[in-house]
Amino acid sequence: MGWASGYRRRAVRWRRAVLAALVTGAVVLPLSGAVRPDIPAPAPASLAPLSAATLADVYAANRANAAEAARMAAAHHDPDRAATDRSLAAPARHLLRFDGRGPGRVTEVLGDLARADRVAVLVPGSDTSLDTYGRFHAAASALYGQLVRQAPAGTRTAVVAWLGYETPGTVSTTVTTTGRAEQAAPGLRALVADLRAVSAGAPRIALLCHSYGSVVCGRAAAGLAVDDIALVGSPGTGAGSAAALHTRARVWAARGADDWVAHVPHVSAGLFGTTVGFGTDPVSRAFGARVFAAGDGGHSDYFSPGSTSLANLARIVLGETEAVTHD
């Protein structure tokens, strides 16, 4: 008994030491990019409550807001942000939400949301902002293309790219805690309610949660009206098991063979007045998710065209659960 008690104490000390090292490293390591000055942008457009009848007006209002943000960014001599805003203002873009202030927030739809039978919501991880939105949009576009090719005849699909929260920096204290995820979770729940309000039917909705986005999904999952939650490149969800997410959705998990997140310690503890670390590894047997094949890719490759992971994510969205491959 004495040996076991001592072992447990040493294990607790080791976990706390690891977590402290994570925080310390996030503080002292150089950041991936310098802090940018504030970029002027208009306040978000005033929008009518979302419904199929108001959807076109909502898209138009947000495009107009993005166009104004582009003009303001250009006047502020920030051509990169102006170009991003200008591209979002193009007539072909469908924005449910747009806020060009600060790091920016965008909710973009690919496909016919009002008539979709299957809807995928992409929840991004760290270092996603208007300044890096191109790569997030590319992931959403690759998924939408895969769904269009893979969907059975008559099945209508849509993808929602949800940059609806301020993501943490990869090298920062916020990326090791659940704080940003807790702030983001109400917005993700509100989005799902909006999607239900817009649809003419009852689409099946899948959350595809990448990296820190899986922590957001973990915080939002309880009672959420979605059918599937897929965690890719996940450091953990903040929950000890899939059952602890308290969701009726099927919970899936995958990790590419070359994903560095496999080396993140899967521990969680209170430290410095907050919770640091995200607990059980989602691809472990202990977590209890449906683990699927993700191929040989790295942390940023889950939505790469032609990849094993993208094909399996499309199968999950389409409800083709028996076709999902496993390692």
Side-chain angles (χ1 to χ4, degrees), residues 144-269:
Y144 183 62
Q146 186 77 22
L147 290 172
V148 169
R149 290 188 297 272
Q150 210 165 302
T155 298
R156 294 165 295 201
T157 63
V159 171
V160 179
W162 183 72
L163 176 53
Y165 76 110
E166 185 176 349
T167 67
T170 297
V171 184
S172 68
T173 55
T174 53
V175 82
T176 63
T177 73
T178 59
R180 291 284 175 90
E182 289 162 0
Q183 295 168 11
L188 183 54
R189 294 191 191 103
L191 172 70
V192 171
D194 283 343
L195 299 181
R196 295 290 181 194
V198 166
S199 174
R204 298 185 71 83
I205 297 175
L207 300 184
L208 309 186
C209 318
H210 177 240
S211 192
Y212 189 89
S214 63
V215 188
V216 176
C217 290
R219 282 295 186 262
L224 197 62
V226 298
D227 301 279
D228 293 275
I229 299 174
L231 314 169
V232 292
S234 173
T237 63
S241 66
L245 295 176
H246 303 293
T247 176
R248 66 175 179 81
R250 290 172 295 218
V251 180
W252 306 79
R255 179 178 301 137
D258 198 33
D259 190 340
W260 57 260
V261 86
H263 305 295
V264 171
H266 293 284
V267 293
S268 179

Side-chain angles (χ1 to χ4, degrees), residues 44-66 91 93-98 114 198:
S46 297
L47 304 172
L50 273 174
S51 69
T54 65
L55 196 54
D57 290 340
V58 166
Y59 288 161
N62 283 317
R63 285 195 298 265
N65 191 270
R93 307 299 282 266
H94 295 159
L95 310 181
L96 283 180
R97 295 281 187 270
F98 176 80
V198 166

Side-chain angles (χ1 to χ4, degrees), residues 33-158:
V35 176
R36 297 192 60 181
D38 286 340
I39 300 167
S46 297
L47 304 172
L50 273 174
S51 69
T54 65
L55 196 54
D57 290 340
V58 166
Y59 288 161
N62 283 317
R63 285 195 298 265
N65 191 270
E68 178 59 22
R71 287 190 287 272
M72 294 176 71
H76 192 65
H77 307 293
D78 192 321
D80 292 336
R81 175 62 68 87
T84 297
D85 292 340
R86 197 176 300 115
S87 69
L88 288 166
R93 307 299 282 266
H94 295 159
L95 310 181
L96 283 180
R97 295 281 187 270
F98 176 80
D99 185 349
R101 299 172 299 181
R105 299 189 186 190
V106 184
T107 303
E108 184 172 9
V109 176
L110 290 78
D112 187 348
L113 183 60
R115 300 173 66 242
D117 306 302
R118 301 275 178 170
V119 178
V121 178
L122 270 61
V123 181
S126 59
D127 287 330
T128 309
S129 67
L130 273 180
D131 296 318
T132 61
Y133 186 74
R135 68 190 185 197
F136 185 43
H137 179 265
S141 182
L143 176 64
Y144 183 62
Q146 186 77 22
L147 290 172
V148 169
R149 290 188 297 272
Q150 210 165 302
T155 298
R156 294 165 295 201
T157 63

